[in-house]
Amino acid sequence: MNSMVEKSLSKVPEVTLIFWIIKIAATTLGETGGDAVSMSMHLGYLVGTAIFAVVFLMAVTAQIKAKRYHPFLYWTTIIATTTVGTTLADFADRSLGIGYAGGASLLFVLLMASLAVWYRSLGSVSVDTVNSPKAEMFYWVTIMFSQTLGTALGDWTASTAGLGYSGGAVVFSILLGLVVAAYYWTSISKTILFWAAFILTRPLGAVVGDYLDKPLNAGGLALSRYSASAALLVFIVACILIFKQRAGTLPGK
């Protein structure tokens, strides 16, 4: 009986309010943690990307090999995607010189391509169907692209568009609010709205993270990247321990 129940469950958590709270905290941690390694430790974007890419690959491998949903393993993998997304986006935008608009455009194309290939291969991109190695591979590649795109969008909004970190946070909060409204009061596909919200939480976390640790003369609070990252990590762990998350249920189960 237990094996039948496990087979009917997704390898990712049920999408609830606490899921989104932890997701936003994780994306903010990705920004402060990524900046701590690449900037505060003076390792640079390329080395930082290489370090976090190794962590990401290890976490994804462990996640795919797991037989069922494990909250700490899942959120460790999410955090790994946000940190590698931060340093990878910064490397593309700044070190390669393609700019925020160029980086965001490239990553948007890669994200759409990932979703298109996933849909063509398995017939659905719904997170409720993530319970096979192939589906998980598509899921995590898509998430990695979405996290990287979100970083580029956040930087573009705060810097190039001139809205600053607080202005960027307001913009992305409003956009998320519109997605929530569409979820409750329109017939737009819930899968499309999920991915829209998932993508938008990343630039929100990026601008909030930058607001916390950037210098005062740059519009930030000048907090230590290390202390901000530690506080966010404690908050995430507390949420996981206090609010028990269940695995999502597969369609038809």
Side-chain angles (χ1 to χ4, degrees):
M1 173 66 74
N2 289 337
S3 61
M4 291 178 63
V5 171
E6 286 187 6
K7 288 180 180 178
S8 69
L9 298 177
S10 172
K11 291 282 295 294
V12 300
E14 184 179 19
V15 180
T16 61
L17 177 60
I18 193 62
F19 171 90
W20 293 114
I21 291 174
I22 299 175
K23 170 60 166 61
I24 293 172
T27 59
T28 308
L29 173 57
E31 191 71 19
T32 58
D35 287 349
V37 171
S38 62
M39 297 180 185
S40 297
M41 294 183 182
H42 305 292
L43 295 179
Y45 302 126
L46 183 59
V47 174
T49 298
I51 292 172
F52 290 126
V54 171
V55 176
F56 168 66
L57 290 174
M58 292 173 62
V60 168
T61 300
Q63 171 70 21
I64 292 176
K65 286 185 176 181
K67 301 300 183 183
R68 59 186 178 85
Y69 167 66
H70 297 279
F72 281 103
L73 177 56
Y74 175 84
W75 287 110
T76 295
T77 311
I78 287 288
I79 293 170
T81 67
T82 67
T83 49
V84 73
T86 295
T87 53
L88 181 58
D90 287 341
F91 176 73
D93 296 341
R94 301 168 187 174
S95 298
L96 295 182
I98 62 177
Y100 298 130
S105 298
L106 173 62
L107 289 163
F108 179 77
V109 171
L110 291 173
L111 174 60
M112 292 298 103
S114 176
L115 286 168
V117 174
W118 181 1
Y119 185 82
R120 186 176 180 83
S121 298
L122 299 179
S124 174
V125 295
S126 171
V127 295
D128 293 332
T129 63
V130 180
N131 196 38
S132 70
K134 188 174 183 179
E136 280 197 88
M137 285 296 296
F138 281 121
Y139 177 78
W140 290 111
V141 168
T142 301
I143 284 181
M144 194 269 289
F145 283 142
S146 74
Q147 305 282 39
T148 311
L149 170 63
T151 301
L153 284 175
D155 289 341
W156 179 82
T157 303
S159 301
T160 306
L163 295 178
Y165 305 122
S166 57
V170 170
V171 167
F172 291 116
S173 295
I174 291 173
L175 290 175
L176 278 170
L178 293 175
V179 172
V180 172
Y183 179 88
Y184 286 107
W185 295 304
T186 74
S187 58
I188 297 174
S189 166
K190 298 300 187 285
T191 297
I192 291 175
L193 293 174
F194 169 85
W195 285 111
F198 201 96
I199 293 168
L200 287 171
T201 53
R202 182 61 184 101
L204 175 60
V207 293
V208 171
D210 282 337
Y211 178 69
L212 293 175
D213 63 31
K214 287 297 187 287
L216 294 174
N217 59 9
L221 296 178
L223 299 179
S224 164
R225 293 185 178 106
Y226 301 118
S227 59
S229 299
L232 287 163
L233 183 59
V234 169
F235 175 78
I236 292 170
V237 170
C239 285
I240 295 173
L241 292 175
I242 296 172
F243 303 99
K244 301 300 182 182
Q245 289 182 291
R246 299 179 300 177
T249 304
L250 297 179
K253 301 296 183 179

